[in-house]
Amino acid sequence: DGMNVLFIIVDDLRPVLGCYGDKLVKSPNIDQLASQSMVFSNAYAQQALCAPSRVSFLTGRRPDTTRLYDFYSYWRVHAGNYSTMPQYFKENGYVTLSVGKVFHPGVSSNYSDDYPYSWSIPPFHPSAEKHENDKTCRGKDGKLHANLVCPVNVTEMPGGTLPDIQSTEEAIHLLNIMKTTRQKFFLAVGYHKPHIPLRYPQEFLKLYPLENITLAPDPWVPKKLPSVAYNPWMDIRQRDDVEALNVSFPYGALPDDFQRRIRQSYYAAVSYVDVQTGLLLSALDDAGLSNNTIVVFTADHGWSLGEHGEWAKYSNFDVATRVPLMFYVPGMTTSPVSQGARVFPYLDPFSHIGGSVPQGQSKKVVELVSLFPTLAELAGLQVPPVCPKMSFGVVLCTEGRSIAHYFNISEGKVEQGKEGCDDTGRCFNEEPVALSQYPRPADTPQWNSDKPRLKDIRIMGYSMRAIDYRYTLWVQFDPSNFSANFKDVHAGELYMMENDPNQDYNIYNNTSHGWL
């Protein structure tokens, strides 16, 4: 019989959510989902860039195996013909459906979102998506601009709508079809916001009076930050409103008041996505599917909001790599749901007061590359085998590992990992770590530092996040044969989480490096 899967993936969403302890944000619907879910408070993406991260978690392989660090290659041609998570569900009898931004569109998913391999029917893209970067933001001069900060009157938008509103409508439509046909489904819904431009219905600004908005706790470039680690946020600079500020490249700071506006609009966009998520989950209830559908909620990576003097993604810091991750599994994360009971009544962020606490929370460090085996296990499918060391020729395997064994933990018990080692020689009883990476074209920030094309990559920053530290090495990289040379270290970073939670004080050079 098996469970359905509703997989919600939000673009560029760092965990600024009530259920993650954020005091400012209004996210009642995602918090309500968390209150019925297993929530991972230390989940990390494998690269802080849309296409590489998505291809990584949808195939269960790391960027060094998909060989995608930019936007410009299709893994099945360029690396190996790897099965994807939706493809695996499809091969196991599920109807697989894609709505909105799931795969990154373009060559990296073969201009088809990997249809027909991954999906039963062609993926849905909202028609309003093509206007995302048009001049639709009214400036103080009354004219329209392509701004970063872009609250809009939805009725004035082309088609009178926005992409995420259209995606929610389509997803609800598909849920209702699935209800009538009684087919097992895997429905992936990809929301575009809070990806830039920060274009959302203007009423969400009311939730965040500017006087309540603070700057980042560490809005300066850290003294000991290696220049190779800094991302110069070129995509932000190119928006009309930021360009007008004429900030010096690469380290000039944005004016404080504008920093607050970006942060305000990011939060507003998060609340807008919370509403879409709430409408979608409420429709799952309406269709009578909450008692047999697993819901996963996550993001492709985070987004800096002025920390370290940086904006956007493109780095190895927690603010860019850490993501929300939660799993609702009826009968497992909640007591069994009776048919027709409401699990997800819609909550209006404009009137809802009061937070909710996650059902279960794990502080274990986990990776998005583990989504594929975890969802397979939760749905009762055979878990794909762990990849051998070289897996370019292996169609079905995973470089992540199922984290389902972290679920059956009642509060108060010490979490026990599985003991023993697997055939790759990695042991379960070690504390887990998350690996992320980011490519650079040069040792100092330049125009293409954020998004170097494969042929221009010269340095790869490999980063390891454990519960108590983040350790990053920037090493020589040869894009012609995809090789990293760890004997040629350009720079290093080491942050101890206990006394430096924001990763501002790099102590790499004050330590001997034999300890790892």
Side-chain angles (χ1 to χ4, degrees):
D1 189 31
M3 292 261 189
N4 304 309
V5 177
L6 173 59
F7 180 72
I8 303 170
I9 166 83
V10 185
D11 212 354
D12 291 20
L13 175 67
R14 63 190 255 174
V16 293
L17 298 165
C19 51
Y20 278 81
D22 190 286
K23 299 283 186 275
L24 184 64
V25 77
K26 305 268 190 298
S27 54
N29 294 287
I30 298 165
D31 298 347
Q32 176 173 254
L33 172 63
S35 75
Q36 307 292 318
S37 296
M38 184 68 184
V39 174
F40 287 88
S41 54
N42 269 309
Y44 297 89
Q46 275 45 80
Q47 188 182 324
L49 188 60
C50 305
S53 174
R54 288 162 187 262
V55 168
S56 170
F57 69 68
L58 288 164
T59 60
R61 318 278 185 121
R62 300 183 186 281
D64 281 349
T65 307
T66 66
R67 295 190 156 171
L68 181 67
Y69 313 109
D70 57 18
F71 301 92
Y72 306 106
S73 67
Y74 181 41
W75 77 92
R76 292 184 192 274
V77 171
H78 187 72
N81 191 16
Y82 313 142
S83 292
T84 66
M85 173 164 56
Q87 178 181 0
Y88 188 62
F89 275 83
K90 181 165 155 258
E91 287 164 359
N92 278 283
Y94 282 72
V95 177
T96 56
L97 307 160
S98 173
V99 171
K101 185 174 172 183
V102 180
F103 279 99
H104 192 86
V107 64
S108 66
S109 56
N110 203 32
Y111 300 100
S112 67
D113 296 72
D114 199 44
Y115 175 80
Y117 289 102
S118 286
W119 311 108
S120 304
I121 61 172
F124 170 85
H125 283 282
S127 59
E129 204 180 308
K130 60 178 171 290
H131 303 295
E132 268 298 276
N133 291 308
D134 294 359
K135 297 189 171 189
T136 55
C137 324
R138 207 165 285 289
K140 291 198 179 81
D141 55 8
K143 296 197 181 80
L144 292 175
H145 300 274
N147 287 345
L148 169 62
V149 173
C150 187
V152 296
N153 178 340
V154 177
T155 58
E156 291 175 4
M157 291 300 103
T161 188
L162 290 171
D164 290 338
I165 296 171
Q166 291 183 300
S167 292
T168 301
E169 288 163 355
E170 176 68 12
I172 291 172
H173 171 66
L174 290 171
L175 283 178
N176 290 326
I177 292 173
M178 288 296 111
K179 171 183 106 175
T180 20
T181 59
R182 304 200 158 173
Q183 290 168 290
K184 269 193 312 191
F185 64 84
F186 177 105
L187 168 59
V189 181
Y191 286 122
H192 283 80
K193 295 301 104 175
H195 191 288
I196 69 165
L198 298 169
R199 192 169 80 111
Y200 55 86
Q202 60 199 15
E203 58 270 24
F204 286 94
L205 273 178
K206 291 195 201 98
L207 294 171
Y208 303 104
L210 208 52
E211 60 269 22
N212 294 356
I213 307 291
T214 59
L215 297 182
D218 52 346
W220 57 84
V221 180
K223 277 195 193 61
K224 294 189 175 173
L225 182 70
S227 57
V228 69
Y230 183 80
N231 71 281
W233 36 279
M234 285 299 290
D235 55 345
I236 305 282
R237 294 170 195 273
Q238 286 155 0
R239 310 300 308 182
D240 293 354
D241 50 353
V242 181
E243 197 174 15
L245 298 168
N246 198 12
V247 177
S248 69
F249 182 91
Y251 296 118
L254 289 169
D256 286 4
D257 65 318
F258 195 79
Q259 293 197 33
R260 285 197 179 86
R261 285 192 188 279
I262 299 177
R263 289 169 67 91
Q264 176 192 37
S265 276
Y266 186 89
Y267 275 84
V270 171
S271 290
Y272 161 58
V273 170
D274 181 77
V275 163
Q276 301 310 314
T277 304
L279 293 168
L280 178 59
L281 291 172
S282 167
L284 190 73
D285 269 355
D286 292 342
L289 293 165
S290 303
N291 63 334
N292 64 350
T293 303
I294 294 166
V295 181
V296 190
F297 180 92
T298 190
D300 53 356
H301 45 70
W303 210 79
S304 302
L305 287 164
E307 296 86 1
H308 315 111
E310 294 179 300
W311 299 88
K313 44 234 182 188
Y314 320 123
S315 84
N316 279 322
F317 283 118
D318 278 20
V319 284
T321 55
R322 185 170 166 239
V323 293
L325 177 62
M326 60 190 83
F327 298 84
Y328 162 78
V329 189
M332 185 181 193
T333 62
T334 57
S335 45
V337 180
S338 56
Q339 187 74 40
R342 291 203 79 81
V343 187
F344 304 118
Y346 173 73
L347 302 173
D348 181 348
F350 293 92
S351 56
H352 181 76
I353 297 167
S356 45
V357 177
Q359 174 62 31
Q361 201 158 18
S362 173
K363 291 191 165 62
K364 290 280 185 202
V365 174
V366 297
E367 304 176 291
L368 285 186
V369 75
S370 296
L371 271 170
F372 185 171
T374 304
L375 265 179
E377 181 170 346
L378 292 173
L381 305 181
Q382 198 169 356
V383 180
V386 173
C387 291
K389 208 161 182 62
M390 286 294 276
S391 65
F392 293 105
V394 184
V395 170
L396 179 68
C397 68
T398 172
E399 294 182 299
R401 53 186 56 256
S402 173
I403 57 176
H405 62 279
Y406 292 149
F407 279 55
N408 44 9
I409 299 153
S410 57
E411 283 303 303
K413 269 201 232 149
V414 179
E415 296 171 15
Q416 293 293 328
K418 291 179 188 163
E419 297 296 326
C421 300
D422 61 18
D423 49 12
T424 58
R426 282 185 294 204
C427 296
F428 278 117
N429 53 5
E430 293 169 8
E431 274 300 307
V433 295
L435 303 176
S436 303
Q437 61 193 97
Y438 212 87
R440 293 281 186 241
D443 283 298
T444 51
Q446 57 187 47
W447 68 274
N448 63 341
S449 289
D450 294 336
K451 296 185 274 195
R453 292 188 76 129
L454 175 63
K455 64 177 176 40
D456 298 320
I457 297 171
R458 294 295 175 271
I459 302 156
M460 188 69 75
Y462 288 96
S463 194
M464 180 161 80
R465 176 63 155 85
I467 195 74
D468 48 355
Y469 63 86
R470 178 175 284 287
Y471 179 63
T472 306
L473 288 177
W474 297 89
V475 302
Q476 189 265 333
F477 185 84
D478 183 346
S480 66
N481 60 5
F482 299 91
S483 66
N485 178 6
F486 281 85
K487 294 197 173 64
D488 183 0
V489 176
H490 289 230
E493 296 169 84
L494 176 60
Y495 306 100
M496 303 311 289
M497 299 309 300
E498 194 180 359
N499 49 16
D500 183 19
N502 298 328
Q503 304 173 349
D504 294 321
Y505 303 99
N506 177 15
I507 61 165
Y508 177 81
N509 287 337
N510 0 357
T511 43
S512 65
H513 304 297
W515 65 281
L516 275 171

